Amino acid sequence: MWAGLRAALATVLPLVVASLLRLPAASWVGLAGYMVTLADKGGSYRTRAQTQGALAVLAALAVGLAALAGGNAALSALLVLACVVAGSFARCYGEAAAGVGRLVGVLMIISLATPVDTLQAAGTRAGFVLLGGAWAMLLALGLWPLYPYRPARRAVAEVYRVLAFTAEDLARRVAVDAGPSSWSAHAALRHARLRPTIEAARTTLAATRLGRSGETGRGEHLMVLLEGADLTGTVLIALAEAMESAEGKPAYVHARAEVHRLTEAYGRMARWVVRALEREQDEVEPRVPRRASETLVRRAEVEEQAAFSGVRRHPSGPVPGYVAALLDTLRSYASVAYETAAGLLSGRPPSESGRHAAAGAPRVGRKSLLAPLSDHLGLDSPILRHALRVGLMTSFAVLLTHALGLDHGYWVTVTVLVVLQPYAASTEERALQRVVGTMVGACVAALVATFLHAPLPLLVTIFLLSGTAVALMPLNYGLYQMTLTPAFVLLAEMSLPGHHLAGQRILNTLLGGGLALLGTWVLWPSPERRRFPDFAAALLRADAQYLREVAASAGAADARVRESRRRMGRALLEAEASFQRLAAEYHGPPAALEPAMALLTYARRFAAAVTTLSVERGASSAEVLEPIAGAAGQALEGLAQSLSEGRPPGPLRPLAVPAAARGDAFYATLLERVPRQLGVLHGAVARLTREVPLQRRKLDGDSARSASGWSLRSPS
């Protein structure tokens, strides 16, 4: 809602001023303000300022050049080709950079539609774009007081909110006979929420701390809390795996009850940490506490004591050694989080145990500025292919609209630029949403324009529609388009009341959507079935490396283990995203997708089993884990190679649990999961490469990287 209000102010207020001053060219301030507002995707203030500032400067340059070149069709097409290819290729730096490139392209295309004759007029337009960008940045970053660590605090608070949910969900499943499917659902839900949230918080915190002088200690507190949360997540994974193994066994009734009590208590404590992080105490310089502040601190201490009391208690009955060690580890991490959050409120520095927990944190390091570009130079790169695809289709749209003499032809080009996505399924979905949303929105605009003619009610309507559009954008692109279309149509019709532009908007959007679909089907078509085997193979290799690091380390807190766990989590997220795109493209019998689903599910379960083995190493040693890691890692590498080459895997060698692990029956049970899950993975890869619905076929013209050549089709 606040984002929508900011966008409406950034758009409409400059339009009102331009109307009062009778400066039609000043409407670029509102348009640029809207686009720069859209570029604000959250994160640290530093990152947001860099993103919005880059968009304002690049858009001013592109708009000025386009204003001079707009009268020449060939020159316009060349300028669009160069700008759009460069902006789309910026995706190699991340989605934020891709968004900046896309918005610069939109502003440039609109500027091409309204050319000017003089260099002074082009410079004036570019100046208005810069002014609009500065206005949007003032609203986004300076309208409310700047608290440098507020975004980082909120990001870390979200991590603890997810941890609290995970712990409470685990407590609920332990309290009942959950069953295998319920535990699998818990693992999927936990993975889908925890790892992305931790990575987002780590990036936000790193950007916030980058280059700051005079550190007040808040950054250190937040780093300790974040890395403690990462380690706590591994303990919760281990407890979930242990409780699944103990399900239905009378000997572990008391252990289940103690896990239920402690995870429930940890959930309460984690929610208190969330409340502590969300309290606004982000002063750059520490202040002397006043009496009222001291009272608040005392109240917080009472509150935190109540939140932590359930975690502090120790079990009152017999608990197996492995589970007891996990519970003690969870208490230790909870103590660090409790002390650090309390210190954040009262000003106490982090404890030595907290600093030790954060010492092995994976670093978000700086890469060379040119490294992402060199990594994606080559026609086998999906990012470069997409950039060329978008550039060629948008420049073709410019030439086509000039040849046909279409009124408001830039709507065609903008539709091509916005609809074309890196993946075919995403492009088809976006095209449908944009076309349907535009049709509904254009009808709304025609209806409103029939009854409203005065500038003031039109501006009020545009204000409400643009604010609502930005508020709806994170929820659904189709709804966003339904509310954005009438705002822009009414803006265009302020000087020409009527409803003819609404019909023109629909026709141009249909034409642009058709061109976008043509581009994704004709220019370097790359269905997801060709990419999924590579993602799945990378996931299996990441699992193998994670297991090897666990076997060679001292435990879950080891820096190499944490980094390999992070890479494994990211590989799993990428493979799951690829599978979702594959499922969206596929229209055959659902049973053909079962091997891929089984592979993802058990790759996730295998990683959870390895995490369980890494948390508590009391019962494990090199003689226990290293043989398993060597054999299992070799088997996973073989499965990954089979996927990459598109051939069935060889037979799986038996993998037995070493006799040295038999001293702890509970730990031995957990070890036995590794060969079982490895067997399921082997079967999934075998079905994926042998069954009729998933077969290899030769792909002429494809690169060696994608020549594994999977074809997902129905048996017929």
Side-chain angles (χ1 to χ4, degrees):
M1 295 293 290
W2 284 114
L5 177 61
R6 280 206 309 263
L9 287 172
T11 306
V12 175
L13 196 56
L15 295 178
V16 173
V17 175
S19 177
L20 293 175
L21 298 179
R22 300 181 184 277
L23 290 173
S27 61
W28 279 94
V29 178
L31 183 59
Y34 182 80
M35 296 298 180
V36 173
T37 301
L38 290 183
D40 184 10
K41 302 299 183 183
S44 70
Y45 285 109
R46 179 190 182 94
T47 302
R48 293 164 64 190
Q50 289 174 340
T51 302
Q52 292 181 295
L55 172 57
V57 172
L58 293 174
L61 292 174
V63 163
L65 290 174
L68 295 172
N72 186 294
L75 190 58
S76 297
L78 287 175
L79 185 60
V80 167
L81 177 63
C83 183
V84 171
V85 168
S88 298
F89 192 55
R91 185 179 299 273
C92 61
Y93 289 102
E95 288 299 323
V100 169
R102 183 168 54 250
L103 293 172
V104 169
V106 169
L107 286 169
M108 185 197 65
I109 290 167
I110 296 174
S111 183
L112 284 171
T114 53
V116 297
D117 297 327
T118 65
L119 185 62
Q120 181 181 1
T124 301
R125 180 178 296 179
F128 281 137
V129 170
L130 280 176
L131 182 60
W135 165 237
M137 291 177 68
L138 176 65
L139 286 175
L141 304 176
L143 186 60
W144 291 276
L146 278 173
Y147 294 99
Y149 277 100
R150 177 189 285 175
R153 290 174 73 120
R154 290 181 175 176
V156 177
E158 184 61 26
V159 172
Y160 275 87
R161 188 176 285 112
V162 174
L163 270 182
F165 172 82
T166 302
E168 291 163 355
D169 186 66
L170 175 58
R172 286 191 295 270
R173 296 178 195 272
V174 169
V176 298
D177 290 331
S181 60
S182 180
W183 286 111
S184 181
H186 171 77
L189 189 62
R190 176 190 64 222
H191 160 74
R193 297 188 61 176
L194 189 55
R195 177 50 55 186
T197 309
I198 290 175
E199 290 302 318
R202 183 174 282 124
T203 301
T204 300
L205 181 57
T208 301
R209 301 184 75 192
L210 184 63
R212 291 191 61 81
S213 59
E215 177 71 76
T216 62
R218 301 190 187 281
E220 188 179 14
H221 282 88
L222 294 175
M223 178 62 72
V224 170
L225 284 170
L226 178 58
E227 298 311 321
D230 194 2
L231 293 173
T232 301
T234 65
V235 179
L236 293 176
I237 292 172
L239 283 173
E241 293 290 305
M243 289 302 96
E244 182 179 3
S245 299
E247 188 169 347
K249 298 179 181 178
Y252 300 123
V253 170
H254 186 79
R256 291 170 60 85
E258 183 59 24
V259 170
H260 173 267
R261 185 199 64 76
L262 185 57
T263 50
E264 199 173 51
Y266 181 86
R268 291 194 299 270
M269 195 277 296
R271 294 194 183 278
W272 174 82
V273 173
V274 172
R275 293 193 297 273
L277 286 168
E278 290 177 343
R279 293 180 183 177
E280 294 299 345
Q281 293 189 6
D282 273 329
E283 301 88 3
V284 176
E285 297 294 336
R287 299 177 180 176
V288 178
R290 299 178 181 177
R291 187 180 303 275
S293 299
E294 293 173 349
T295 302
L296 288 176
V297 170
R298 284 196 296 271
R299 289 179 182 174
E301 288 175 351
V302 173
E303 187 179 344
E304 71 191 41
Q305 290 284 348
F308 191 59
S309 61
V311 179
R312 181 177 286 134
R313 293 206 326 256
H314 284 266
S316 56
V319 175
Y322 177 75
V323 177
L326 289 177
L327 295 177
D328 287 341
T329 305
L330 181 59
R331 287 190 190 89
S332 174
Y333 292 154
S335 297
V336 170
Y338 156 74
E339 294 168 359
T340 307
L344 190 62
L345 292 177
S346 62
R348 296 192 304 271
S351 63
E352 286 302 319
S353 58
R355 289 192 175 100
H356 178 74
R363 304 301 178 189
V364 183
R366 282 184 169 183
K367 293 183 178 180
S368 168
L369 188 62
L370 299 179
L373 296 177
S374 60
D375 290 343
H376 293 281
L377 283 177
L379 283 179
D380 60 331
S381 168
I383 290 180
L384 181 59
R385 287 184 176 187
H386 175 66
L388 293 174
R389 183 188 302 123
V390 179
L392 290 172
M393 293 309 299
T394 50
S395 58
F396 175 73
V398 170
L399 294 175
L400 182 64
T401 53
H402 272 81
L404 297 178
L406 292 178
D407 188 21
H408 287 76
Y410 67 89
W411 281 339
V412 177
T413 313
V414 169
T415 299
V416 174
L417 175 60
V418 174
V419 168
L420 263 174
Q421 300 296 305
Y423 308 107
S426 304
T427 299
E428 294 166 1
E429 181 183 10
R430 179 63 64 91
L432 178 63
Q433 290 175 330
R434 186 172 179 88
V435 168
V436 173
T438 297
M439 293 177 66
V440 175
C443 293
V444 172
L447 184 64
V448 172
T450 302
F451 297 100
L452 297 181
H453 305 288
L456 181 59
L458 281 175
L459 286 172
V460 171
T461 304
I462 293 171
F463 179 90
L464 295 175
L465 288 171
S466 59
T468 304
V470 174
L472 291 174
M473 184 169 60
L475 304 180
N476 184 276
Y477 182 79
L479 295 176
Y480 163 74
Q481 198 61 43
M482 287 181 191
T483 49
L484 181 67
T485 296
F488 274 85
V489 171
L490 291 174
L491 186 61
E493 290 191 344
M494 284 185 65
S495 59
L496 296 171
H499 58 272
H500 66 286
L501 287 185
Q504 189 67 44
R505 175 73 182 234
I506 293 175
L507 292 176
N508 288 355
T509 300
L510 286 171
L511 178 57
L515 290 176
L517 291 175
L518 180 65
T520 200
W521 292 336
V522 172
L523 296 177
W524 299 287
S526 183
E528 197 62 35
R529 64 174 179 264
R530 302 182 193 176
R531 287 188 291 264
F532 176 74
D534 290 334
F535 285 110
L539 172 59
L540 295 179
R541 291 190 176 99
D543 272 347
Q545 182 62 25
Y546 183 32
L547 177 57
R548 284 193 289 263
E549 292 291 353
V550 166
S553 71
D558 185 273
R560 291 182 303 174
V561 172
R562 294 167 75 169
E563 180 60 29
S564 62
R565 181 168 62 246
R566 182 188 182 199
R567 291 176 180 173
M568 178 275 303
R570 295 175 67 175
L572 182 53
L573 290 172
E574 290 173 354
E576 288 175 338
S578 175
F579 175 75
Q580 292 300 323
R581 296 191 295 267
L582 173 64
E585 293 178 0
Y586 178 62
H587 303 293
L593 297 176
E594 183 274 332
M597 294 176 64
L599 187 148
L600 291 177
T601 299
Y602 277 87
R604 185 192 310 119
R605 298 304 302 273
F606 185 88
V610 176
T611 299
T612 304
L613 298 176
S614 73
V615 174
E616 175 52 48
R617 300 295 303 274
S620 70
S621 62
E623 62 176 332
V624 172
L625 274 184
E626 284 188 1
I628 293 180
Q634 186 176 2
L636 287 170
E637 291 287 353
L639 294 179
Q641 189 70 18
S642 296
L643 284 171
S644 298
E645 297 175 359
R647 58 171 176 78
L652 184 64
R653 295 180 180 179
L655 182 61
V657 176
R662 301 296 178 182
D664 188 335
F666 206 97
Y667 192 80
T669 301
L670 296 175
L671 279 175
E672 289 170 356
R673 289 190 168 198
V674 172
R676 285 206 306 269
Q677 291 166 351
L678 192 59
V680 176
L681 287 172
H682 182 275
V685 173
R687 293 195 304 279
L688 202 61
T689 53
R690 285 177 181 165
E691 291 187 356
V692 174
L694 280 163
Q695 289 183 346
R696 289 183 65 193
R697 64 184 175 91
K698 186 176 180 181
L699 301 173
D700 295 330
D702 275 354
S703 65
R705 179 179 179 274
S706 59
S708 52
W710 292 99
S711 175
L712 185 58
R713 54 189 177 84
S714 64
S716 60

